[in-house]
Amino acid sequence: MDGVLAGKGGEWWVEVVATVRSWLGLVAGWKGAAMERGKGGRGVASWPEGEEEEGLEASSWRKREFLEGRRGEAYGYGGEIDAMRAAEFSRLKGTVYLDHAGATLYSEVQLRKCLGKLERSVFSNPHSGSSKGGGGSFEAARAATLSMFNTTGEDYYCVFTSGATASLKLVGESFPWSAQSSFLYTKDNHNSVLGVRNYALDQESEAAAVSVSAGSDGRFDIDALGPLSRPSSPGRGRSKRRGGGGKSVNLFAFPAESNFSGVRYNLDVVNELRGRRCRIGGRTIGGGQEWFVLLDAAKACCTSPPDLSKYPADFVAISFYKIFGYPSGLGALLIRKDSAKVLQRKYYGGGTVKVSVAEEDYFRRRDEEDGWEDGTLPFLSLEAVHEGFEQIRKLSFQKIEDHTSALTEYTAREMDAMRHCNGERVCEIYGRHTPGSKDTKAAFEVGQGPVIAFNLMRSDSSYVGYKKVETLGEARGIVLRTGCHCNPGACSGFLGLTPEETRLNFESGHSCWDDKDVMNGKPTGAVRISFGYMSTFEDADSFLEFLRGCFLERQEPLSRDLTGGANGTTTSTTTGELALSGIFVYPIKSCQGFRVRGSWPVSESGLFLDRRWAIADESGAILTQKKVREMTQVSTDVDASRTELVLDAPGMVPLKVSIVGGADSSALRERAGSWLSSFLGRKCRLLETSCDGGNFSNQGGCLLVSEESVRNLLPDDDQEAVSKACMRFRPNFLVKGGAPFQEESWTRVSFGKAVGLEKVRECGRCGMIGRDLLDSLNKKRKNLNFGVLLSLSGGGAAAPQAEVAEGSSVTFS
Ligand SMILES: *Cc1c(COP(=O)(O)O)cnc(C)c1O
């Protein structure tokens, strides 16, 4: 079994997958990438016989159905897709990449062509020598960019920037804001657009999020969701009145496609607003008002760039990695030539001026794009733009759009149809996937891009946290995005969060990228999958099988007793005495630890020697099991007097080094470093924590794991299997007896009489414990926490340095 089934790590996962199948009886498994690609062509694939055939057959049957279905024709560039994936994206083996809205992938052929060009050529600074003034390839890149939008250098400037964000900022800082102007933006906008309002507010302009809808006469109504002004300038915006001679210059910003949901917006707004035919706040735009449109096309250009010959937005922002993956750090701002005069640049830098005088305030800006591009352009990256467009041109945007939308439609339908055994929905999908479903603004929301934003629900209609989806997906090589994706307006809109709730959630500790995914029963973000031009049916199918396998409840849970409360109220029938059955120390982060015989010192920084060392590569980055699997084969031990560390690994002569501080410690690091380098096959060194304080543990504190809880996760009660599984959680303290998950309700634990520890928090788990245990946690528990982190700090009664003894009785409160 390989491909997606094998996840990221190779053989290790294979075992896990085999186990999970027998344990949990997952029927279909994760067949996607294991299918033989390119065999037999469309719809007539023949599948190899073998152990996997049931799942493979099911998948092949689903594929056939998809290809023969409504949009099957649109899929796959006339049968080219599988060959393209094999030849140009071979690195995706084992990965189901579904974050093209985050960044799409470059083709390996495209990359080789770019690197080949760099390898063969001598490039100098474009301001030097023969290439002075930009050089042909810049102009070609500008022309190709403009042509993507169906326009030319006659109507637009194409200014290169470091990306869409920089483009938006450039407009924000150059726009002639005044107390007479307004900045209106749809609620669905990227943070990089919202940030423009700081420039507006600074100049006492009015700023507001708006909704756009179509009136019965077909005109757009733009209505503020509440005006904004700075609390620091009370009354602002009240005294000033529009009109009265002075012309007001205003900016309206919206995305062609939402990066949160993939909803596409009606670009007619561009013409309507520029022609002053919209109503703003119920009133037709007056003659003294001039409106400019800032179009964020960063997401739309992934598969469907707007046609600027039809919808001539004034300013358009893009990033190239969203279109063809490479290079990153390069984007463009398209400026309509007619509208360019309104922008007032402040800064100038190298390359942007024709002349400037050091002793006097005298300079003349360059015309055209040069006047906007400060400093030396990323000329090497620009060389890559050509290959990127070449890649797209081979397929054409129309075919890319057909292909990705066929996949999106199929996946969204399947998700929409998914039901738990009691008939409740599994997926709450956001966007416009089922036309006319829940919108009254159909005229502004006109389509759906290749994005599916959603949250998952249990059969009791409670939400599954997005973090859980991310972690379980990651363990299968599925790359997706969770959270609000830098689009707070769309996020809160779909999730029904008021600005108050968002602020309250933040004040009670939630911020972007953290794991507080459900607060007060409401999700704080969503899961997003998105397709790119090289996405396949198998990607979609693997993802759907992931949802079916992990989140679809096929039968009523036998008992609900583990799913209530914070992470389950536990049945609290204590079975027998609790005892400390094992103490484990892991001297080197990510390597094997050893079991303590007798007793062991514990202090505020944890167990003596625990995670005292870590292995770093040449650049100083700390190596982990995730990156270097071989580290799991390095065993560690110390001698009885705790003065010598012993390292061992298969095929190596064991290394003994003294660990009694002083001058010896650098000798230890040197010898251990070269021993480890030779075993791990890469140059590395041993890092030591500064002195007594601190260790290299990620989570902080000592991890307590209960055997009973582990037993509860396993399919059958086999003591050997329990003991083995316990070690996969890498506990410091293993306790025996009591009831499963009882430890989660403790706040204080004592081992014997001498040592008391405080609970820091529960330990969030990732794929490192193995997919079987992770899946079992998912089935049995509300979140993926397992084990409790304890710390001596704040222990009060405990001595600053105490010893814990194996076999001690465990008491808790
Ligand atoms: C990605 C994205 C941005 C930001 O682009 P950067 O490359 O991070 O500058 C802005 N808006 C939308 C709609 C996007 O998808």
Side-chain angles (χ1 to χ4, degrees):
M1 195 183 295
D2 70 337
V4 163
L5 289 164
K8 285 169 177 165
E11 314 86 323
W12 179 72
W13 289 107
V14 178
E15 272 181 39
V16 170
V17 170
T19 337
V20 80
R21 290 168 62 81
S22 55
W23 277 14
L24 300 174
L26 292 182
V27 188
W30 316 100
K31 295 295 147 13
M35 291 175 71
E36 292 206 1
R37 295 221 165 87
K39 219 186 181 186
R42 291 181 56 169
V44 287
S46 62
W47 307 101
E49 300 285 306
E51 191 238 327
E52 297 306 325
E53 85 224 76
E54 191 190 327
L56 272 182
E57 239 165 47
S59 176
S60 108
W61 178 81
R62 289 192 295 268
K63 182 169 187 178
R64 206 165 308 167
E65 229 194 16
F66 163 69
L67 291 176
E68 286 164 5
R70 245 170 62 81
R71 301 291 303 277
E73 273 303 307
Y75 173 82
Y77 314 103
E80 290 294 308
I81 180 76
D82 293 337
M84 175 175 80
R85 266 288 281 263
E88 304 191 31
F89 299 88
S90 61
R91 68 194 189 282
L92 279 181
K93 217 169 174 208
T95 301
V96 177
Y97 189 87
L98 294 173
D99 188 23
H100 295 271
T104 199
L105 301 169
Y106 50 81
S107 127
E108 287 146 25
V109 171
Q110 170 195 350
L111 190 72
R112 276 198 291 275
K113 284 204 237 160
C114 297
L115 298 181
K117 188 152 68 173
L118 297 189
E119 209 168 76
R120 287 187 306 272
S121 324
V122 178
F123 291 101
S124 59
N125 187 306
H127 298 139
S128 323
S130 56
S131 54
K132 217 170 266 177
S137 68
F138 289 9
E139 295 324 307
R142 292 192 214 281
T145 308
L146 290 166
S147 141
M148 168 175 76
F149 289 102
N150 197 22
T151 185
T152 65
E154 221 164 279
D155 294 324
Y156 278 88
Y157 292 122
C158 171
V159 174
F160 291 121
T161 65
S162 67
T165 300
S167 303
L168 296 164
K169 179 167 179 260
L170 191 53
V171 174
E173 70 191 16
S174 312
F175 200 77
W177 302 110
S178 74
Q180 276 71 47
S181 41
S182 294
F183 174 51
L184 301 184
Y185 51 92
T186 52
K187 190 171 156 188
D188 183 349
N189 252 313
H190 195 278
N191 268 329
S192 300
V193 173
L194 303 191
V196 168
R197 76 184 177 208
N198 276 5
Y199 289 110
L201 292 174
D202 276 351
Q203 297 306 315
E204 310 231 319
S205 306
E206 191 176 73
V210 297
S211 68
V212 182
S213 53
S216 51
D217 57 357
R219 288 197 175 185
F220 287 103
D221 279 308
I222 299 177
D223 291 296
L225 301 170
L228 285 182
S229 61
R230 282 273 156 79
S232 55
S233 49
R236 181 178 59 179
R238 227 160 270 173
S239 57
K240 65 183 166 127
R241 281 266 49 100
R242 295 273 130 89
K247 230 183 182 186
S248 76
V249 186
N250 310 284
L251 188 66
F252 176 74
F254 75 108
E257 183 181 316
S258 168
N259 73 306
F260 181 91
S261 65
V263 166
R264 287 181 176 154
Y265 291 103
N266 192 338
L267 297 172
D268 283 332
V269 169
V270 174
N271 292 314
E272 296 296 301
L273 196 63
R274 283 168 42 90
R276 299 201 189 94
R277 287 185 295 271
C278 296
R279 276 181 298 257
I280 298 184
R283 290 209 307 265
T284 310
I285 302 170
Q289 292 176 48
E290 205 174 347
W291 279 91
F292 293 86
V293 178
L294 170 57
L295 184 64
D296 180 357
K299 170 65 190 83
C301 286
C302 185
T303 55
S304 180
D307 182 338
L308 294 182
S309 72
K310 284 196 197 136
Y311 311 107
D314 301 281
F315 316 113
V316 183
I318 59 162
S319 284
F320 288 109
Y321 69 90
K322 293 255 173 95
I323 310 170
F324 36 69
Y326 181 85
S328 60
L330 184 66
L333 172 65
L334 273 62
I335 305 174
R336 239 181 84 88
K337 289 195 164 169
D338 288 350
S339 317
K341 283 180 284 296
V342 75
L343 297 182
Q344 296 162 2
R345 287 221 61 195
K346 296 198 175 64
Y347 181 77
Y348 67 82
T352 31
V353 286
K354 291 186 220 168
V355 59
S356 79
V357 179
E359 312 88 313
E360 273 178 38
D361 178 19
Y362 182 85
F363 75 97
R364 287 293 175 268
R365 203 178 284 282
R366 282 186 187 278
D367 309 321
E368 317 225 301
E369 284 93 346
D370 291 346
W372 295 87
E373 293 162 346
D374 301 319
T376 304
L377 280 174
F379 54 99
L380 298 180
S381 301
L382 271 160
E383 292 296 327
V385 167
H386 172 75
E387 307 306 338
F389 277 120
E390 193 50 40
Q391 185 71 16
I392 300 294
R393 212 170 295 138
K394 283 194 286 192
L395 303 168
S396 90
F397 272 113
Q398 186 56 54
K399 291 210 177 101
I400 289 174
E401 168 66 11
D402 292 347
H403 170 81
T404 51
S405 70
L407 272 179
T408 310
E409 202 180 292
Y410 167 77
T411 311
R413 269 166 195 262
E414 291 290 312
M415 289 172 70
D416 194 49
M418 243 179 244
R419 293 288 186 282
H420 292 297
C421 54
N422 63 356
E424 293 293 327
R425 277 178 180 281
V426 178
C427 307
E428 179 176 273
I429 302 178
Y430 312 117
R432 243 188 135 264
H433 294 277
T434 37
S437 57
K438 63 171 183 182
D439 54 48
T440 51
K441 306 169 290 200
F444 185 48
E445 294 180 3
V446 287
Q448 176 64 48
V451 175
I452 305 174
F454 63 96
N455 269 301
L456 296 177
M457 291 178 298
R458 302 189 181 84
S459 60
D460 63 2
S461 299
S462 64
Y463 285 99
V464 178
Y466 56 74
K467 207 71 198 171
K468 196 177 197 190
V469 184
E470 182 175 282
T471 305
L472 291 164
E474 202 172 282
R476 293 167 166 75
I478 297 177
V479 181
L480 41 73
R481 180 82 168 253
T482 64
C484 279
H485 330 310
C486 297
N487 189 326
C491 188
S492 63
F494 283 117
L495 304 181
L497 292 169
T498 62
E500 242 91 71
E501 281 175 304
T502 305
R503 258 185 288 126
L504 276 175
N505 284 347
F506 175 69
E507 279 155 21
S508 44
H510 166 67
S511 65
C512 296
W513 295 345
D514 72 9
D515 53 5
K516 296 208 165 62
D517 47 15
V518 179
M519 292 178 92
N520 305 316
K522 278 189 186 181
T524 60
V527 186
R528 180 185 74 187
I529 61 163
S530 46
F531 296 103
Y533 73 80
M534 76 304 284
S535 296
T536 59
F537 172 82
E538 287 74 13
D539 292 329
D541 194 51
S542 301
F543 168 74
L544 290 166
E545 284 298 283
F546 162 54
L547 295 190
R548 291 183 190 116
C550 285
F551 304 105
L552 181 77
E553 296 170 28
R554 294 177 196 273
Q555 55 192 41
E556 297 284 351
L558 294 175
S559 87
R560 279 251 167 225
D561 60 350
L562 291 177
T563 50
N567 194 19
T569 0
T570 50
T571 37
S572 53
T573 41
T574 305
T575 54
E577 286 291 292
L578 278 161
L580 182 57
S581 56
I583 303 169
F584 302 88
V585 175
Y586 307 85
I588 304 177
K589 183 187 166 72
S590 295
C591 295
Q592 288 176 27
F594 60 87
R595 183 182 197 126
V596 167
R597 297 282 160 212
S599 63
W600 197 260
V602 60
S603 70
E604 281 199 17
S605 56
L607 286 168
F608 176 58
L609 297 185
D610 194 48
R611 275 90 170 189
R612 160 92 57 105
W613 296 279
I615 306 174
D617 66 11
E618 276 184 298
S619 71
I622 290 182
L623 301 180
T624 59
Q625 283 185 13
K626 227 182 221 174
K627 287 183 263 178
V628 188
R629 293 294 313 166
E630 295 82 5
M631 289 173 78
T632 54
Q633 296 177 21
V634 177
S635 70
T636 56
D637 206 351
V638 288
D639 67 333
S641 59
R642 297 173 198 156
T643 54
E644 260 184 350
L645 177 69
V646 186
L647 302 183
D648 201 0
M652 297 291 288
V653 179
L655 178 78
K656 271 190 192 170
V657 282
S658 163
I659 49 174
V660 250
D664 281 347
S665 85
S666 66
L668 149 80
R669 288 201 304 272
E670 212 156 285
R671 288 180 56 210
S674 58
W675 188 92
L676 287 163
S677 299
S678 87
F679 177 67
L680 298 175
R682 62 180 76 206
K683 210 157 166 47
C684 52
R685 54 206 171 91
L686 203 60
L687 301 181
E688 184 169 7
T689 40
S690 44
C691 45
D692 342 291
N695 58 42
F696 285 107
S697 142
N698 287 342
Q699 305 253 12
C702 303
L703 181 69
L704 178 144
V705 164
S706 143
E707 278 190 38
E708 289 314 308
S709 305
V710 173
R711 191 185 315 279
N712 188 277
L713 292 182
L714 300 190
D716 34 52
D717 188 359
D718 166 33
Q719 185 52 41
E720 201 184 316
V722 172
S723 303
K724 264 191 158 162
C726 282
M727 297 320 294
R728 280 158 62 191
F729 290 102
R730 294 172 69 81
N732 292 111
F733 300 120
L734 196 58
V735 298
K736 207 180 173 106
F741 305 111
Q742 195 185 17
E743 69 280 7
E744 287 173 3
S745 56
W746 304 343
T747 55
R748 221 185 124 69
V749 186
S750 301
F751 299 127
K753 292 213 165 53
V755 188
L757 296 112
E758 303 274 317
K759 171 174 172 177
V760 182
R761 66 200 144 85
E762 287 167 21
C763 180
R765 311 306 317 210
C766 67
M768 295 316 296
I769 59 170
R771 225 178 79 182
D772 54 345
L773 288 176
L774 205 59
D775 284 348
S776 186
L777 266 181
N778 171 44
K779 301 270 169 179
K780 301 210 169 200
R781 315 286 290 152
K782 212 151 210 176
N783 55 38
L784 298 176
N785 292 350
F786 192 84
V788 177
L789 291 156
L790 303 173
S791 155
L792 199 64
S793 64
Q801 169 100 17
E803 296 236 339
V804 276
E806 190 188 12
S808 307
S809 67
V810 178
T811 49
F812 57 87
S813 50

